[in-house]
Structures are given as structure tokens and as C-alpha cells.
């Protein structure tokens, strides 16, 4: 919940750790982990949306750096919400940078609340619930497999996870850079248009 409100906390790592623990020890119930994760994600995003909507873009621009919301990220957020809206809210769950700030940016950019609520709930369900149950099943399988075969499979699984993480990070940076370039171009055009209107006015 706190991460979704805009605080840079390791929510994803906590869900994975708790689910692995539940799957390998059975000391926690996966249903309650998933419910807590989904509820916290949805609640946090709604609080974040209200904060962004109430305080507005100017406050985020002034104080956002304190929580890592730099001017570049704000500009990127404005561009993404103008172009893609609900898809950004949904997919933002799965991108580390966006997950922390997506709700604040949605509120600050005056995204309609009913649209935000729908895509936010859908994203929270798939992200938190998906991570919880998939990791839980992985924990159960690790518990069943022992000996050299188990160690070998675990090593392969870790390598695959690291590879997937590096691939996502590489492409996330590339896509972010592309979006930033387009956002900067749009900002320049909007400033030029504003100047032209001022001259003609």
C-alpha cells in the first residue's frame, strides 16, 4: 500500500519472499498473502491518486524530488498519460519506476477516477495475485525436489530469472529513453505554441 502511494519500498520483493516461504514451509496461507497484497496495492494507488489530484502537478514538480519523482519522470508521466492512460495504469504495476509513481501521476494529470479505478484494480489483481500464486507454486516444487537434481534445477531457475530481469531492465531503459525523447519534443512544441498564441494575443 505504501509503495503504491509513492514511497520507494520493496513491495514486489516482500510478496515473492512471503509466497516462497508459504510454499516451502506452509506456515503462511497463500490466500491471505494474495488478498493482503492485492488489497494493499489497490488501496495504496487510490490514496496516491487522491494525493496527486488534490495537490496537483505543480506541488509534485516542486517536492517530487524528495521521493525520487524527478522533473524528467514527471514529464515522462504526462506524456504517457496523454497517450495511453489506462494501459499505463495497468502495465505500470509491472515496471518498477512507474509502479511507485503511477497513481500520483494519474491524479495530477486529472485522469477520470472511474477509468483509473478499473485499470488500477485489474493491474493490482494480476500483479500482486499473480506474483503471489506463481511464486507459491515455485516454493512447493522446490520443497519436493532434493539432491543434485534439485540443486541443478534451482540453479537453472535462478539463471532464467536473472536473464529475464536483465532483459526487462534493458528494454525498460530503451523504451523509457524513447518515450523521454518524444515527451521532450512535445514539451518544446507546446511551449512554442504557447509563445505564438501570446504574440498573436
Amino acid at each position: 500500500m505504501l509503495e503504491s502511494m509513492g514511497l520507494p519500498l520493496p513491495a514486489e520483493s516482500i510478496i515473492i519472499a512471503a509466497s516462497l516461504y508459504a510454499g516451502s514451509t506452509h506456515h503462511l496461507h497463500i490466500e491471505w498473502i494474495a488478498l493482503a497484497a492485492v488489497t494493499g496495492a489497490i488501496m495504496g494507488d487510490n490514496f496516491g491518486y487522491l494525493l496527486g489530484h488534490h495537490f496537483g502537478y505543480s506541488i509534485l514538480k516542486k517536492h517530487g524530488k524528495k521521493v525520487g519523482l524527478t522533473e524528467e519522470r514527471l514529464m515522462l508521466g504526462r506524456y504517457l498519460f496523454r497517450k495511453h492512460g489506462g494501459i499505463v495504469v495497468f502495465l505500470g504495476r509491472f515496471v518498477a519506476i512507474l509502479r511507485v509513481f503511477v497513481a500520483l501521476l494519474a491524479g495530477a494529470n486529472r485522469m477520470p477516477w472511474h477509468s483509473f479505478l478499473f485499470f488500477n484494480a485489474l493491474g493490482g489483481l494480476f500483479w500482486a495475485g499473480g506474483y503471489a500464486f506463481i511464486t507459491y507454486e515455485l516454493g512447493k516444487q522446490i520443497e519436493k525436489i532434493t539432491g543434485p537434481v534439485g540443486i541443478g534445477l534451482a540453479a537453472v531457475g535462478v539463471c532464467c530469472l536473472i536473464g529475464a530481469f536483465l532483459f526487462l531492465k534493458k528494454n525498460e531503459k530503451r523504451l523509457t529513453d524513447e518515450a523521454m525523447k518524444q515527451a521532450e519534443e512535445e514539451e518544446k512544441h507546446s511551449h512554442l505554441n504557447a509563445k505564438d498564441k501570446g504574440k498573436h494575443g
Side-chain angles (χ1 to χ4, degrees), residues 12 96 159-172:
E12 198 169 74
C159 288
C160 289
L161 286 172
I162 292 170
F165 176 78
L166 292 173
F167 175 80
L168 287 171
K169 281 294 174 187
K170 183 180 177 182
N171 283 275
E172 178 186 328

Side-chain angles (χ1 to χ4, degrees), residues 45-108:
D45 262 358
N46 276 281
F47 286 134
Y49 176 91
L50 290 172
L51 287 171
H53 190 272
H54 181 70
F55 292 110
Y57 184 80
S58 59
I59 298 295
L60 292 178
K61 191 173 181 179
K62 187 176 179 181
H63 300 289
K65 288 180 182 178
K66 295 174 184 176
V67 291
L69 198 54
T70 62
E71 193 168 341
E72 283 189 345
R73 286 176 179 171
L74 280 171
M75 186 168 64
L76 177 60
R78 289 182 71 180
Y79 166 77
L80 290 173
F81 275 101
R82 281 200 303 268
K83 292 291 183 183
H84 306 293
I87 295 173
V88 175
V89 173
F90 177 78
L91 294 180
R93 286 285 183 193
F94 302 90
V95 181
I97 292 173
L98 280 177
R99 184 167 59 250
V100 179
F101 303 118
V102 71
L104 289 168
L105 292 170

Side-chain angles (χ1 to χ4, degrees), residues 101-190:
F101 303 118
V102 71
L104 289 168
L105 292 170
N109 287 288
R110 295 296 191 269
M111 180 179 179
W113 183 75
H114 62 275
S115 297
F116 172 79
L117 181 62
F118 173 76
F119 286 103
N120 167 47
L122 198 64
L125 186 64
F126 276 86
W127 172 71
Y131 266 110
F133 282 107
I134 290 169
T135 311
Y136 174 74
E137 288 301 321
L138 179 62
K140 283 170 63 179
Q141 297 306 315
I142 290 171
E143 183 191 26
K144 291 177 184 177
I145 301 169
T146 56
V149 176
I151 293 169
L153 288 173
V156 170
V158 170
C159 288
C160 289
L161 286 172
I162 292 170
F165 176 78
L166 292 173
F167 175 80
L168 287 171
K169 281 294 174 187
K170 183 180 177 182
N171 283 275
E172 178 186 328
K173 188 179 185 305
R174 178 179 59 80
L175 292 170
T176 302
D177 289 343
E178 287 177 7
M180 278 300 302
K181 285 178 183 177
Q182 293 180 35
E184 285 170 1
E185 287 175 7
E186 285 205 0
E187 286 288 324
K188 286 177 184 176
H189 285 306
S190 65

Side-chain angles (χ1 to χ4, degrees), residues 23-34:
S24 58
T25 67
H26 307 292
H27 292 159
L28 292 174
H29 293 285
I30 188 60
E31 295 84 3
W32 291 111
I33 293 171

